Amino acid sequence: MATLAVFCSGGGSNLQSIIDNVSSGRIPARIGFVLSNNSVSRALERARKHAIPAIHFSGIHYPGPAAYEQAMLKLLEEHAIDIICLAGYMKLVPAQVIRRYQGKILNIHPALLPKFGGKGMYGIHVHAAVIAAKEKESGATVHFVTEQYDDGPVIVQQCVPVLPGDTAEQLAERVLAVEHAIYPEAILRVVSGKASMPKLN
Ligand code: GRF
């Protein structure tokens, strides 16, 4: 059975959707731990409520980036993690971790990548940009993580309409509902081998 690690920084509503789909058995996997750079993130509370190890992992605990990277790799190995799910994780994942988990590290982005991705495109800023661009639709994307931000092969994508007069908050809410549906589906495809990432040369 695959073991997942979920990395979060904030509320953890995507984490909750993953927890619910693992608990129901829809995703044949277990969650080895939830990690957050934010010691008071609601995501860590959600993990604790489900007796999932909740780990506060921050650069402030390490003398430098190399020690931080090695400690993260060690943590992943100690928990025998097979797949990493970034779910509202706002920190950069160290390059060696991405390389070690190539094809086994997923992220969810609240837009139709490759549009509205990359630097500065996070949270409400994404939806504000979509509205400012007068897009007729937006959506959510789950993709494999590579060393380029928001750039890896798409696993699952789902659209939502942008309605006349939408505020960024209204669009964000509509997209978030889709995120909660597609992230478990994407994990299922990776766990079952239906979705895999071509080996980068
Ligand atoms: C989601 O909108 C996700 O697309 C983005 O950050 C947000 C996380 O929300 N990466 P939550 O913490 O899962 O509620």
Side-chain angles (χ1 to χ4, degrees), residues 10-15 87-90 107-110 123 127 176 179-180:
S13 70
N14 275 287
L15 164 68
Y89 187 61
M90 303 311 282
N107 180 50
I108 188 153
H109 183 76
H127 308 294
L176 193 60
E179 292 179 46
H180 297 161

Side-chain angles (χ1 to χ4, degrees), residues 48-130:
R48 291 186 196 104
K49 255 174 68 181
H50 292 271
I52 298 167
I55 299 167
H56 173 221
F57 192 88
S58 166
I60 56 172
H61 300 139
Y62 298 95
Y68 171 80
E69 184 171 55
Q70 289 312 310
M72 187 180 277
L73 279 167
K74 184 165 177 287
L75 182 71
L76 290 160
E77 268 142 39
E78 279 167 358
H79 287 263
I81 299 301
D82 300 300
I83 297 172
I84 300 171
C85 302
L86 308 182
Y89 187 61
M90 303 311 282
K91 307 301 277 183
L92 217 54
V93 176
Q96 275 196 47
V97 173
I98 295 177
R99 283 186 215 124
R100 163 75 181 70
Y101 285 87
Q102 188 170 291
K104 298 291 182 197
I105 177 167
L106 287 62
N107 180 50
I108 188 153
H109 183 76
L112 297 175
L113 291 177
K115 296 173 81 171
F116 303 99
K119 203 147 177 53
M121 281 292 130
Y122 61 89
I124 203 71
H125 305 294
V126 176
H127 308 294
V130 166

